[in-house]
Amino acid sequence: MILQVQPKLIIHGGAGSSLHGKGGIEAVRRSLHAVIQEVYSLLLTGATASEAVLRGCQMLEDNPRFNAGTGSVLQSDGQIRMSASLMDGTSGRFSGVINVSRVKNPIEMALFLQKSPDRVLSDYGSAELARELQVPSYNALTDLRLKEWMQEREDNFKRTMAGVVAEPEIAESSNAGRGTIGVVALDGYGKLAAGTSTGGKGFERIGRVSDSAMPAGNYATTYAGVSCTGIGEDIIDECLAAKIVIRVSDGMSLKEAMQRSFTEASKNERDLGAIALDATGVISYGKTSEVLLAAYHNGDTIGDTLEWNDGELIGYC
């Protein structure tokens, strides 16, 4: 099999405030790099961008360290409701599920909906789809997320955001992180796809809809793909993913589109981050938050943004 272009890959596990020291950083780095290694190997064997995005999201959803799938945060009533979406840049199809419960991998339902005439389903529709597909019932709750929720109730819900990662020292603190996972891939055939999945922001009002199942938080065309993380409402207000991709589609370089979009977001005092890839293989990432948990493979080496703190809004390679 001969690949036409060099595949590229970037993933994220959330954005927010500090990781409480080197131990947290190294643990997250190991988790992210393991995903990069497996998914990039898939791309080298000829997997499509959507297949790579699916596998990357599955692995991140299955890691209880991140706020998606297993390890998702609890909403105000103590229930877990997850959202995920997938967009294939070649077909231009967006699909997703909103506030689905008791499934292991919401991204798999988003993939199924790629071929459906009804491609975005809310909580009731997602539950019906899970039954139709005979998806096994799954409890995504972890002890640390339950501990977070119990402590938050004791504090009368003074904190409003979920920890970026699930670690004992974070559950015991008032760290306000923003957790989501996402994958953007450029395959060996020059095609792009993006996927995003989340357990929400934690302790939210029942029925709140995340950006992760909207084009605001996950978008791809033949020109570029973007997955966002951070405060969902801020991402929606900026319509960040679609804005960046449309600017690239209209002729801006990915670097220019990211710089302009994050400059605007910073001026608007948004709290968010994003990862991006364009059809030429340029990788970019940006944040207005303190930390962006992203890792990438540029075709030669693996890199990450865990200690990126040079004051710039975006980076690229």
Side-chain angles (χ1 to χ4, degrees), residues 38-168:
E38 178 168 329
V39 177
Y40 195 76
S41 294
L42 275 178
L43 286 167
L44 290 179
T45 64
T48 66
S50 287
E51 289 169 341
V53 166
L54 173 68
R55 183 58 187 145
C57 286
Q58 286 173 325
M59 292 181 71
L60 290 163
E61 287 176 338
D62 289 346
N63 189 326
R65 185 175 299 278
F66 302 113
N67 174 23
T70 304
S72 289
V73 296
L74 282 66
Q75 295 191 350
S76 57
D77 62 347
Q79 299 301 307
I80 290 174
R81 297 178 180 89
M82 302 166 285
S83 298
S85 67
L86 174 68
M87 189 161 187
D88 183 289
T90 301
S91 68
R93 284 180 166 243
F94 180 97
S95 59
V97 290
I98 298 171
N99 288 335
V100 63
S101 299
R102 306 198 70 80
V103 300
K104 185 178 182 183
N105 295 110
I107 193 66
E108 294 176 3
M109 298 177 70
L111 175 66
F112 175 84
L113 289 169
Q114 278 280 303
K115 297 180 181 179
S116 169
D118 305 310
R119 295 202 303 272
V120 182
L121 299 180
S122 65
D123 49 358
Y124 180 78
S126 297
E128 286 296 307
L129 177 63
R131 282 190 283 271
E132 177 186 326
L133 298 178
Q134 297 184 320
V135 176
S137 180
Y138 180 78
N139 184 5
L141 180 65
T142 64
D143 290 343
L144 281 173
R145 292 306 192 189
L146 179 59
K147 184 177 181 181
E148 278 183 341
W149 187 79
M150 294 292 289
Q151 289 175 343
E152 188 62 23
R153 283 180 60 86
E154 292 174 4
D155 293 338
N156 295 317
F157 296 92
K158 293 176 184 176
R159 189 169 76 249
T160 58
M161 301 300 158
V164 176
V165 294
E167 295 181 320

Side-chain angles (χ1 to χ4, degrees), residues 186-208:
L186 173 70
D187 65 28
Y189 314 103
K191 298 178 180 180
L192 289 155
T196 306
S197 181
T198 187
K201 65 182 181 181
F203 320 108
E204 62 263 62
R205 181 188 294 270
I206 300 168
R208 179 256 185 185

Side-chain angles (χ1 to χ4, degrees), residues 163-175:
V164 176
V165 294
E167 295 181 320
E169 61 269 26
I170 290 178
E172 293 167 3
S173 76
S174 61
N175 176 56

